[in-house]
Amino acid sequence: MLSKRVIVIGITGRSGSGKTTVAENVIKHFGAKRVRILSTDRYYHGKKADETRDQFNDRTNFDEPGALNLAKLAENIKDLKAGNEVFVPSYSMITSESTDNAESIADVEILIIEGIFALYDDAVRGLIDISVFVHAPADVAFARRAKRDKEERNYSYEHSVKLVEKVLRPAYANFIKPFKRTCRIYIDNTQHIGNASLVSIDPITSLTEEKM
């Protein structure tokens, strides 16, 4: 018996651009039973037992591709496209600890790979059917990122500013912005970043339905 086709959507863009909002709106359109989000944040390498992590320590840069196990992500996507059940890892931004086989995923119809490095890896990109770039101006994205960092990680505003200048800005230029020209779909999230319901996902849903 042939397995049903799994449509894989890859969503990238700068930190704070609204990638998760776009992904969640796709779920609202098709229904939670048909769509799963697989965030690249799950695939960060966990810290060693004696390791102290600091975003500004040159040895630990969370905004460069080597910080993630993208080979494992590619393996999981490939298995899901083949109709297999997979056990995906989880990662805590608070403790920097990774847990293998944290959650089971199976019977996926539409799989969304969401994150700043969703399209960076050649093997991952080769498994994606629809590539999406979500754009928001740097100042708008920073305001959203700073608010999230304060609420979720208790970062100060000064810490967030330093993070942008030393880490996020060069990471965007080197690893994310190049895909702005090559993605199949470009979504400008400049105006509606504060109102999720107004972010249009019509190009994504139309192309997904066409491929199903």
Side-chain angles (χ1 to χ4, degrees):
M1 181 178 176
L2 294 175
S3 60
K4 62 185 178 183
R5 184 180 184 192
V6 178
I7 305 298
V8 182
I9 303 169
I11 302 178
T12 191
R14 72 166 83 242
S15 181
S17 62
K19 299 180 295 298
T20 302
T21 295
V22 170
E24 290 174 347
N25 283 355
V26 173
I27 289 181
K28 290 177 183 177
H29 178 87
F30 288 106
K33 291 184 178 180
R34 303 177 67 189
V35 188
R36 289 297 300 267
I37 296 178
L38 193 53
S39 171
T40 59
D41 286 355
R42 285 179 170 271
Y43 293 84
Y44 277 108
H45 294 292
K47 70 176 182 179
K48 298 176 182 177
D50 58 349
E51 180 184 359
T52 299
R53 290 198 163 177
D54 180 353
Q55 180 74 326
F56 304 119
N57 184 328
D58 290 340
R59 295 173 299 169
T60 309
N61 184 347
F62 302 115
D63 288 85
E64 65 92 22
L68 292 85
N69 188 352
L70 295 175
K72 179 66 174 179
L73 173 59
E75 177 187 323
N76 287 164
I77 298 171
K78 187 175 181 180
D79 283 343
L80 286 168
K81 292 193 78 166
N84 300 323
E85 177 184 18
V86 303
F87 293 89
V88 299
S90 66
Y91 180 82
S92 170
M93 292 292 182
I94 304 300
T95 65
S96 298
E97 295 176 346
S98 177
T99 302
D100 293 333
N101 304 327
E103 182 182 351
S104 169
I105 298 180
D107 298 323
V108 177
E109 188 173 348
I110 300 169
L111 177 66
I112 300 175
I113 310 302
E114 177 269 318
I116 58 175
F117 298 122
L119 300 178
Y120 179 81
D121 183 75
D122 289 344
V124 171
R125 195 166 60 253
L127 294 165
I128 287 173
D129 301 295
I130 301 170
S131 57
V132 181
F133 191 97
V134 181
H135 169 75
D139 57 340
V140 175
F142 167 70
R144 188 170 186 269
R145 168 71 186 245
K147 180 177 183 293
R148 185 176 65 198
D149 282 347
K150 174 62 177 176
E151 294 174 350
E152 297 180 6
R153 303 173 192 175
N154 200 31
Y155 287 177
S156 67
Y157 179 81
E158 292 73 19
H159 183 104
S160 294
V161 170
K162 184 179 178 182
L163 187 63
V164 167
E165 294 302 322
K166 294 194 67 174
V167 179
L168 299 182
R169 195 184 302 278
Y172 174 74
N174 293 328
F175 307 122
I176 304 162
K177 187 178 179 180
F179 295 102
K180 186 176 181 179
R181 301 187 304 271
T182 60
C183 279
R184 179 74 179 271
I185 295 173
Y186 175 86
I187 293 179
D188 190 336
N189 195 21
T190 302
Q191 299 297 322
H192 306 306
I193 200 161
N195 192 332
S197 64
L198 296 180
V199 180
S200 176
I201 57 166
D202 289 348
I204 301 175
T205 56
S206 296
L207 187 55
T208 301
E209 288 166 352
E210 180 182 313
K211 287 181 174 290
M212 294 176 72

